[in-house]
Amino acid sequence: MANKEMTKEMAQKQALYQKKVNKRKLSGSLEYTTARLGWQVTLALGVYFLFNALTKGGVWFAVAGVYLAGFALDFIATQRIIKEVTGDAGEISATTRKLGWLMLPFVFVGDFFMFIAGAMLIKKEKNMEYQLSVYSLLVTIFILVVSALNLFKEYVADTFWLGMGLYGLYAVLNLVIMSAVNKYTFGKKPDKKFLPYAYICIAGLALGNVFSFLLGIIALGKYYNKNEEVSVEWIDVIRRLFRNYMSCIGMFIVIFLLSVSIASVLTFDYDIAISNNFSVRLAAPSLMYPFGCDQFGRCVFTRIIFGARISLLVGMISTLAPCIVGGMLGAVAAYYGGKVDNIIMRILDVLNAVPSILLAIAVIAAFGTSTTNLILALSIGGIPGYARTMRAQVMGVANQEFVEAAKACGAKDGTIIFRHIIPNSLAPIIVRITMGMGSAVLSTSSLSYLGIGVEAHVPEWGNILKAGSTFLETNPYIAIFPGLAIIIIVLAFNYFGDGLRDALDPKLK
Amino acid sequence: MSIKKIKDTFARMYRNSTYRLWLWVLGFFTVLVTFIKYKGMKGKDKFASIKADLRKELEATTLQDELFAAALMQVRKKNEYFNKTVSEAETEKQAKEIAVKNFETILHDKAKIAAEMQGVNEVTMAACFAELIDNKAFLLFSLVLSFPMYIVMVLFQNPISKYATDRMVMMIFVLFGVVWLVFTILYISPMDPALNILGQTATQEQVDQFNRIYGLDQPYLTQLLRQFRNLITLDLGNSYQGNERIIGALANKFPITLEVTFWSMVVSLGIAIPAGIISAIKQYSSFDYIAMFFALLGLSIPNFWLGLMLILSLSIKTGILPATYQPANNLTLIMPAIVLGTGMSASVARMTRSSMLEVKNSDYILTARAKGLPENKVVLKHILGNAMIPIVTTIGAQFGGMLGGSSVTEKVFNINGIGSYIVERQYIPDIPVVLAGVVYISFVVSIMNLVVDILYAVIDPRIKSRMKNY
């Protein structure tokens, strides 16, 4: 009797242990993590579209059908992955991998989660370069898809076909690069033949495609790394960053918005965003106007696309400017200590005592409403935060041996601060910058909503929302979509920042 | 407070150069009398005679020459190492300085030892003060004339109140700094307040009269000094539009803001702390993932959008709650509290989780478990208790920020609070109101920071014991 109970208990423990092992195996499998999130998101969107279809009917049924089919496909694939990874073989079979090909086309209905899951599934050996090339291709395709929505409009911009051609060409180039990545980059060092591709990748930065830029400089960095045994530190950081799927998604959204604000110069018509067209005043969402029209008949979708440019611009400048000023002040204060430290920090205490949004209100009250003043106002408020972070970090670094060694060698103070101390205390600042961009976007739109941010006629997300809030009762979509855009970009920055924090964590090195 | 404690506190404060200044300012007459006595006694007491004897004794020995030789060697070696060529005279001058300094130190130390053996104390300010204060008449005289000094001394008895006093003084300086900063920003503004208020059609006489009434025709320094005076008298001046007293207007709006803030605190803490605790204890569980996703979402949602969506779904479509705030109707507080509470609970939940995770794996938690404490006691008392500092910091910062009025949320729900008051007036722009609003909010934020810092000592025994030595 007792023996039986013992065996039962043993079996229970065994099962628990097996469960833990399986969990670890699955969380280590990139195919599983991407496919799981793929079916979850696709299901949620599919159900939402189905509800939409029940009230509005028509084309929504088709969209819901496509999404639910995608969900079914991805769900089956996920179940097979779970079975095969935790099974005896421990490897995903070739048939399951073939399912990945079916998942790729869903990118054309906007489901990039399925695309990533598919791309990760079809290939057995995946390195960071392969992932980068997938994301780079995804960004290009997504721009093509979003720009193609303009085809439903009455007319397109003069440069539309030029832009589409350019991005189409770049998509083809991306595919070529992808095959080159598969051929040449799986060794310790990329093959010499990959170098021309690497330069093409770097040129992709002109189109805002940071993924392809990263791919290029990583290849070059690895190629020109003299000591093969020692890995390059910044490449390691990126590799760790790519382990966290959510932060990859965040990075993808930020980079997509960055590239789309560059692409919109060619493929979108600024006129549709700003000129009045009263024949379509307050039009409901349709294929021609995906997010409807506002009270002046301006396409909300186009306005949101052009709004990304301003949000990103204001976000970046008003984060980087205080970071440079505050970072230097903090570094100088911490390095010299004593009186210098005291004076700088007391002045910054004054700035710190005023909440940044209030300081912005005061600055704008003094100098009037304009984008430049907004950037100035947000920048001033950000200085003390960066100075404090930098100061705390530099205080830790300044006492280390290598700084003492530099001093003993007779290096000048400027050299020590800029060459030795600052590069070694950047990690928390980088994380802060990423998060700060998200909150700068939030502050910008809040101030615009109050009517004291960006000028009222400029298509900025807060401005669109402010206009939409007047028509909340009759035309709620004008306020809903810009709000969603703000949430998505801030969420993306936050996830990206979280991932960066983990990737830069010295404990994980 | 006993006389002995007063003496000790005086000695302690006089040692620190900043507090010495305080003593001079706050208790000028007492310190002056003490100083005169000190100057009179110095050099005439027993210690001085012991020192003089000792000096003669040491000067007779070769000590001075030895010190000079050692110093000369030191300076030469130094110059040699750094490849510096210094003239012989300069080297000797430097060596002489070092030697004299060393000699004086040795002499002073030896004299002190000798004096202690004979039971004689060195004359210091503290000793003079101790002697004077034993005199009842002097004590009465100084209590009357320099009572502020004694108040500060009482505050300095307790480390926590000493810390609070220090911080309060710092805060007053910061507030003056804030007035200077904001006033300067508004002063260099290219806009003309008179034209903004009176309209573009105002005649030159009207403009001049306006400027005269509000003192805008005076130079920068005079205006700045008037702002400082306003801050000291807590007056804050009158607004341009309506010419109302700003302090009264702020006081009228404060209860509304306080009410909204209180309820959003209740909402956010009610959600955030339990969610953070469960997420930390069951790390990597589905609950953890979902809760942290919502926390990040809460951080990313703009307040005004969430407010609009709540109005859309709860007021316009279903009509459950009224869309705008009415002071008499408590139901109208629900939506603003939810909107403000969401953003706050997001950051508090994240902070609770991360700081509890840091504590969770410490050795003392293992000890607590090993000695058989029930799980809920381990979690609530030991893990949460030790993770409290960052959580309290976050809550304090958010609370202070909200007390300053959340202009955006107030605008969405049409709440007549401090935030919307300042924003409304900045459209004009009503410079005194903006200035006063910023000063008021900075004051509230600074006070909240101070309260949080003092709370640290109350909730964390580690900080309390460190403060004892403060």
Side-chain angles (χ1 to χ4, degrees):
Chain A
M1 192 66 186
N3 208 3
K4 221 175 188 177
E5 252 174 39
M6 281 261 278
T7 46
K8 205 175 162 190
E9 204 174 281
M10 285 280 278
Q12 262 179 1
K13 269 187 188 164
Q14 186 79 36
L16 199 74
Y17 173 73
Q18 192 60 43
K19 211 175 152 189
K20 272 192 178 167
V21 169
N22 287 346
K23 214 174 172 182
R24 193 170 308 143
K25 269 187 192 162
L26 282 175
S27 66
S29 143
L30 195 59
E31 291 88 351
Y32 171 71
T33 30
T34 51
R36 187 184 54 173
L37 193 70
W39 75 253
Q40 285 166 345
V41 174
T42 314
L43 175 65
L45 288 174
V47 170
Y48 170 73
F49 290 140
L50 194 63
F51 270 112
N52 236 344
L54 291 177
T55 51
K56 288 173 194 150
V59 72
W60 286 109
F61 273 112
V63 176
V66 171
Y67 267 81
L68 290 176
F71 152 69
L73 174 67
D74 198 341
F75 190 71
I76 292 168
T78 314
Q79 293 308 319
R80 289 187 66 129
I81 292 170
I82 293 175
K83 214 167 129 197
E84 284 163 10
V85 167
T86 58
D88 295 330
E91 262 179 20
I92 299 166
S93 66
T95 12
T96 315
R97 290 207 184 272
K98 278 194 185 111
L99 283 176
W101 289 104
L102 291 175
M103 284 152 76
L104 294 181
F106 283 90
V107 70
F108 294 110
V109 289
D111 192 347
F112 61 87
F113 291 94
M114 296 267 295
F115 180 86
I116 298 172
M120 295 303 140
L121 189 56
I122 48 182
K123 192 130 188 343
K124 193 174 165 196
E125 298 283 333
K126 293 175 286 285
N127 58 359
M128 182 180 35
E129 285 86 348
Y130 174 73
Q131 288 197 47
L132 277 168
S133 66
V134 167
Y135 281 105
S136 159
L137 177 65
L138 179 60
V139 169
T140 318
I141 294 180
F142 230 62
I143 287 175
L144 284 172
V145 170
V146 169
S147 301
L149 281 173
N150 276 332
L151 286 175
F152 294 106
K153 291 224 162 46
E154 283 164 353
Y155 60 96
V156 289
D158 297 336
T159 49
F160 177 77
W161 289 111
L162 174 71
M164 289 300 267
L166 200 63
Y167 278 88
L169 187 72
Y170 196 68
V172 175
L173 264 179
N174 257 321
L175 280 173
V176 175
I177 288 167
M178 212 169 183
S179 66
V181 161
N182 287 340
K183 251 190 215 158
Y184 301 127
T185 63
F186 275 83
K188 239 182 183 170
K189 211 176 196 184
D191 197 280
K192 198 174 177 211
K193 284 178 191 150
F194 190 70
L195 286 187
Y197 297 105
Y199 288 115
I200 298 175
C201 286
I202 290 177
L205 189 65
L207 299 177
N209 197 331
V210 181
F211 282 118
S212 102
F213 173 72
L214 280 179
L215 173 57
I217 57 166
I218 284 172
L220 289 186
K222 272 188 178 172
Y223 186 79
Y224 289 111
N225 184 18
K226 283 182 192 104
N227 188 350
E228 270 182 39
E229 300 308 314
V230 184
S231 57
V232 189
E233 200 179 320
W234 57 268
I235 296 181
D236 275 354
V237 170
I238 298 175
R239 185 176 296 124
R240 282 199 294 269
L241 186 64
F242 269 89
R243 260 185 236 154
N244 183 342
Y245 184 42
M246 283 318 286
S247 90
C248 288
I249 299 279
M251 200 156 55
F252 163 70
I253 291 172
V254 172
I255 291 173
F256 166 68
L257 285 172
L258 182 72
S259 345
V260 99
S261 36
I262 294 175
S264 61
V265 175
L266 292 176
T267 56
F268 279 80
D269 195 352
Y270 197 56
D271 252 10
I272 299 178
I274 51 157
S275 59
N276 303 349
N277 179 4
F278 288 102
S279 59
V280 287
R281 185 173 183 272
L282 296 173
S286 61
L287 269 177
M288 194 188 272
Y289 301 107
F291 295 165
C293 288
D294 65 3
Q295 76 269 37
F296 299 115
R298 301 175 293 197
C299 173
V300 175
F301 177 69
T302 316
R303 280 175 78 76
I304 288 177
I305 293 286
F306 281 107
R309 198 184 289 177
I310 297 176
S311 289
L312 283 174
L313 195 72
V314 175
M316 278 178 191
I317 300 179
S318 61
T319 320
L320 292 178
C323 167
I324 293 169
V325 177
M328 277 189 197
L329 284 177
V332 168
Y335 181 74
Y336 289 104
K339 273 213 180 89
V340 179
D341 182 26
N342 228 339
I343 291 171
I344 292 180
M345 290 326 279
R346 292 298 84 75
I347 292 174
L348 290 179
D349 271 351
V350 171
L351 264 182
N352 201 34
V354 188
S356 63
I357 208 111
L358 216 68
L359 192 68
I361 290 177
V363 170
I364 289 163
F367 300 107
T369 311
S370 80
T371 314
T372 332
N373 290 344
L374 176 76
I375 292 175
L376 181 75
L378 289 177
S379 303
I380 294 177
I383 292 174
Y386 289 102
R388 273 161 187 255
T389 316
M390 197 63 175
R391 177 171 174 266
Q393 193 66 17
V394 169
M395 276 185 157
V397 174
N399 291 329
Q400 287 183 10
E401 281 94 348
F402 67 87
V403 176
E404 214 172 309
K407 271 185 203 166
C409 289
K412 289 196 186 75
D413 279 353
T415 321
I416 296 180
I417 293 179
F418 287 105
R419 289 283 303 281
H420 300 288
I421 293 183
I422 289 185
N424 280 298
S425 22
L426 271 183
I429 290 276
I430 292 175
V431 175
R432 226 194 135 98
I433 289 175
T434 323
M435 302 281 206
M437 284 189 191
S439 53
V441 171
L442 267 186
S443 310
T444 311
S445 57
S446 302
L447 288 173
S448 293
Y449 177 77
L450 290 176
I452 48 181
V454 180
E455 297 93 326
H457 63 89
V458 178
E460 195 272 343
W461 293 343
N463 279 338
I464 309 171
L465 234 163
K466 181 181 158 74
S469 65
T470 336
F471 298 94
L472 200 58
E473 220 158 321
T474 49
N475 307 69
Y477 50 85
I478 307 176
I480 291 177
F481 290 113
L484 285 178
I486 298 171
I487 294 176
I488 287 174
I489 191 173
V490 180
L491 203 59
F493 271 120
N494 282 339
Y495 266 119
F496 182 32
D498 266 4
L500 258 182
R501 191 202 324 258
D502 291 344
L504 289 167
D505 192 348
K507 280 180 220 153
L508 294 174
K509 271 180 191 168
Chain B
M1 193 168 75
S2 72
I3 301 264
K4 192 178 170 310
K5 267 193 173 169
I6 294 185
K7 289 177 190 167
D8 283 352
T9 317
F10 185 89
R12 226 170 53 210
M13 285 179 75
Y14 206 82
R15 241 176 275 144
N16 182 313
S17 61
T18 318
Y19 299 144
R20 195 182 303 157
L21 193 71
W22 287 31
L23 286 179
W24 271 100
V25 172
L26 296 173
F28 180 71
F29 291 104
T30 311
V31 183
L32 186 68
V33 172
T34 318
F35 190 69
I36 292 168
K37 188 178 159 68
Y38 169 69
K39 276 286 169 205
M41 274 173 79
K42 202 178 176 199
K44 285 172 201 151
D45 65 327
K46 229 171 170 187
F47 181 79
S49 67
I50 290 173
K51 202 170 168 181
D53 290 346
L54 208 62
R55 184 187 290 275
K56 269 182 204 152
E57 219 173 276
L58 284 177
E59 273 171 358
T61 64
T62 55
L63 180 68
Q64 270 174 316
D65 298 335
E66 280 167 26
L67 284 175
F68 180 68
L72 202 61
M73 177 108 116
Q74 183 192 339
V75 174
R76 282 213 177 113
K77 284 258 172 183
K78 190 176 129 198
N79 288 337
E80 198 179 306
Y81 184 80
F82 285 107
N83 284 334
K84 272 188 199 163
T85 41
V86 181
S87 71
E88 197 56 25
E90 179 68 16
T91 315
E92 271 181 22
K93 202 180 137 206
Q94 280 178 12
K96 189 88 197 156
E97 269 171 28
I98 297 173
V100 169
K101 213 171 118 199
N102 286 348
F103 179 73
E104 287 298 322
T105 322
I106 292 172
L107 175 66
H108 190 85
D109 287 349
K110 286 208 167 159
K112 224 175 177 180
I113 294 167
E116 242 169 55
M117 279 160 108
Q118 297 176 29
V120 177
N121 276 331
E122 192 186 349
V123 180
T124 58
M125 278 294 282
C128 288
F129 180 76
E131 216 171 288
L132 277 171
I133 206 113
D134 279 334
N135 184 340
K136 284 273 148 31
F138 178 79
L139 181 63
L140 202 67
F141 155 80
S142 84
L143 270 178
V144 172
L145 278 180
S146 31
F147 67 93
M149 183 179 89
Y150 287 97
I151 294 174
V152 170
M153 279 185 169
V154 171
L155 287 174
F156 272 49
Q157 296 290 309
N158 181 343
I160 292 184
S161 65
K162 172 169 185 271
Y163 180 70
T165 322
D166 274 358
R167 289 285 307 265
M168 289 285 249
V169 173
M170 277 305 298
M171 198 180 84
I172 291 168
F173 280 110
V174 167
L175 281 181
F176 276 106
V178 168
V179 170
W180 167 78
L181 174 78
V182 181
F183 174 75
T184 310
I185 289 177
L186 294 172
Y187 183 83
I188 55 176
S189 137
M191 282 188 242
D192 189 350
L195 288 182
N196 279 325
I197 306 290
L198 303 171
Q200 294 295 333
T201 54
T203 60
Q204 190 56 42
E205 282 138 48
Q206 282 174 313
V207 170
D208 287 344
Q209 196 193 2
F210 181 89
N211 285 347
R212 202 163 42 248
I213 290 173
Y214 288 100
L216 295 177
D217 48 353
Q218 284 158 352
Y220 172 74
L221 269 182
T222 322
Q223 289 191 47
L224 184 63
L225 283 179
R226 199 179 57 236
Q227 295 299 343
F228 282 160
R229 203 183 56 224
N230 282 352
L231 178 66
I232 294 168
T233 55
L234 291 177
D235 181 20
L236 299 181
N238 288 12
S239 66
Y240 285 163
Q241 199 178 49
N243 202 17
E244 56 181 345
R245 279 171 54 75
I246 299 169
I247 191 86
L250 285 178
N252 274 337
K253 292 170 200 297
F254 184 70
I256 305 170
T257 302
L258 186 67
E259 201 181 0
V260 175
T261 306
F262 175 76
W263 286 112
S264 15
M265 282 284 281
V266 170
V267 169
S268 79
L269 294 189
I271 301 170
I273 302 274
I277 292 174
I278 299 175
S279 281
I281 298 306
K282 297 191 184 301
Q283 195 189 3
Y284 300 134
S285 65
S286 312
F287 180 89
D288 181 24
Y289 280 120
I290 295 170
M292 284 309 115
F293 172 73
F294 276 103
L296 212 52
L297 193 65
L299 276 186
S300 316
I301 293 186
N303 272 348
F304 51 97
W305 190 78
L306 186 61
L308 289 176
M309 290 306 113
L310 283 183
I311 290 178
L312 179 64
S313 52
L314 295 182
S315 310
I316 296 178
K317 283 198 175 155
T318 50
I320 303 174
L321 293 170
T324 51
Y325 173 78
Q326 296 139 18
N329 190 349
N330 278 334
L331 277 181
T332 56
L333 264 177
I334 294 177
M335 284 200 291
I338 292 176
V339 169
L340 282 175
T342 311
M344 183 176 168
S345 62
S347 44
V348 174
R350 274 165 67 87
M351 193 46 91
T352 310
R353 177 176 179 270
S354 61
S355 64
M356 276 182 76
L357 281 181
E358 252 169 49
V359 175
K360 202 173 115 183
N361 296 322
S362 346
D363 290 342
Y364 56 83
I365 301 301
L366 196 64
T367 313
R369 288 224 166 87
K371 74 180 184 188
L373 276 186
E375 184 63 24
N376 61 350
K377 208 167 179 185
V378 174
V379 170
L380 291 180
K381 195 173 166 203
H382 292 271
I383 303 184
L384 185 63
N386 281 296
M388 219 48 195
I389 292 280
I391 304 176
V392 170
T393 314
T394 316
I395 296 175
Q398 302 261 356
F399 188 73
M402 266 199 242
L403 271 188
S406 15
S407 32
V408 180
T409 316
E410 284 177 4
K411 181 143 192 246
V412 172
F413 293 105
N414 222 350
I415 301 172
N416 202 358
I418 289 176
S420 60
Y421 176 62
I422 298 172
V423 170
E424 259 164 42
R425 289 314 179 92
Q426 83 81 41
Y427 293 128
I428 301 174
D430 202 331
I431 304 289
V433 176
V434 174
L435 181 59
V438 174
V439 172
Y440 155 78
I441 289 169
S442 312
F443 177 72
V444 170
V445 170
S446 308
I447 286 276
M448 273 319 294
N449 288 342
L450 175 63
V451 169
V452 165
D453 280 351
I454 292 170
L455 262 183
Y456 284 170
V458 177
I459 57 178
D460 194 325
R462 285 170 294 194
I463 293 182
K464 198 176 193 173
S465 73
R466 212 181 307 147
M467 261 201 184
K468 285 244 169 73
N469 305 322
Y470 180 72

